[in-house]
């Protein structure tokens, strides 16, 4: 039995992914803070919506998907009811496995996960790290739960803040890029919807080529950059405006902000 505690956007996306992957609604429990939310989850998914305490007592795997600021409260509530053989998966940005372990106060295995919004379309990038008491079997079990909603990578916990900045926030950078390119299309006199179609299909096509060809991005870019041609004229402008340096600085700033938020 799997329980999702604090079933908001991320919890619901994970739950619907598990159901699409073949888990039965009888194998999943959810918890919510508000009665209307509980009712909506029951109605949409047919899962049992229970209290945090009941979930902690009866599920083998607890997936915590509350916001980071709600984590301490949730852990304090369930602490007396979490036996040491439960797997606890924490999906809250910036919350360390040590924080969860110290609040639960037992040798409970904890795995930390950072996922991203494409979880909604089964294309998430989820990175996972084991806590002090989590071993191979716990990582493998976590991978099995997350694989239906995208790709899963194991990383040392020391790299979680960097992963949050790179792939956790990553989709936002691409949305921003699309926005900027659509503006360029409009500047060139194109209708907004046509520009959006062209840019969206270009980013989807490029992403699939990158993922499926296994080629380095430099090789793929060079293939469409002819000497003295149009693409190199654009690249020259991107370089002149230090776009690469801006990405390095931006993602470093996101990592630093994540650390600040985690420190409270
Ligand atoms: N959304 C993303 O793209 C994303 C990406 C990566 C990581 N994450 C992580 O996922 C976590 C959840 O984010 P989210 O966007 O899904 O937030 P969210 O929609 O606010 O979901 C959290 C849910 O937990 C409920 N809740 C809070 N305290 C509770 C308690 N004690 N018992 C039961 N339910 C409780 C909230 O209830 P109310 O509705 O009453 O507030 C809310 O429905 C965050 O820690 C975030 O760092 C999210």
């Amino acid at each position: 039995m799997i329980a999702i505690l604090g079933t908001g956007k991320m919890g619901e996306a994970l739950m619907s992914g598990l159901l699409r992957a073949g888990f039965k609604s009888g194998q999943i429990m959810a918890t919510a803070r508000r009665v209307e939310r509980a009712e909506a989850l029951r109605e949409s998914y047919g899962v049992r919506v229970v209290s945090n305490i009941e979930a902690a007592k009866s599920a083998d795997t607890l997936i915590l998907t509350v916001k980071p600021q709600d984590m301490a409260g949730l852990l304090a509530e369930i602490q007396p009811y979490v036996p040491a053989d439960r797997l606890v998966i924490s999906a809250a940005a910036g919350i360390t496995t040590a924080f969860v372990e110290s609040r639960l106060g037992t040798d409970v295995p904890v795995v930390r996960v950072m996922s991203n919004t494409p979880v909604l379309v089964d294309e998430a990038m989820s990175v996972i790290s084991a806590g002090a008491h989590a071993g191979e079997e716990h990582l493998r079990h976590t991978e099995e739960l997350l694989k239906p909603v995208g790709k899963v990578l194991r990383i040392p916990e020391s790299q979680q803040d960097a992963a949050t900045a790179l792939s956790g926030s990553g989709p936002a950078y691409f949305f921003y890029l699309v926005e900027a390119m659509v503006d360029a299309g409009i500047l060139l006199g194109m209708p907004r919807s046509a520009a959006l179609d062209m840019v969206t299909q270009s980013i989807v096509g490029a992403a699939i080529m990158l993922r499926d060809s296994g080629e380095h991005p430099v090789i793929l870019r060079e293939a469409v950059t002819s000497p003295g041609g149009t693409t190199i004229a654009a690249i020259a402008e991107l370089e002149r405006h230090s776009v690469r340096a801006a990405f390095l600085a931006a993602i470093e700033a996101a990592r630093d902000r994540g650390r600040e938020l985690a420190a409270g």
Side-chain angles (χ1 to χ4, degrees), residues 5-11 31-34 37 52 64-68 70 73-74 77 91-94 113-117 168:
L5 284 76
T7 316
K9 291 186 282 296
M10 183 47 83
T31 82
R33 190 155 53 177
R34 288 168 298 113
R37 179 73 186 147
N52 290 325
L64 314 182
T65 56
V66 294
K67 292 265 192 212
D70 291 324
L74 176 64
E77 186 185 349
V113 174
M114 173 47 60
S115 205
N116 63 9
T117 49

Side-chain angles (χ1 to χ4, degrees), residues 115-139:
S115 205
N116 63 9
T117 49
V119 73
L120 291 166
V121 292
D122 297 342
E123 291 290 353
M125 179 69 247
S126 303
V127 292
I128 64 173
S129 308
H133 313 294
E136 177 61 29
E137 59 178 309
H138 305 110
L139 284 169

Side-chain angles (χ1 to χ4, degrees), residues 226-251:
S226 354
T230 56
T231 308
I232 194 64
I235 304 271
E237 281 301 309
L238 293 172
E239 295 294 358
R240 197 169 69 78
H241 290 277
S242 306
V243 172
R244 185 184 300 261
F247 270 105
L248 297 181
I251 293 170

Side-chain angles (χ1 to χ4, degrees), residues 28-48:
I28 301 176
M29 287 175 170
T31 82
R33 190 155 53 177
R34 288 168 298 113
V35 179
E36 322 84 80
R37 179 73 186 147
E39 203 41 56
L41 290 168
R42 235 178 244 126
E43 240 171 56
S44 308
Y45 300 99
V47 295
R48 280 180 63 207

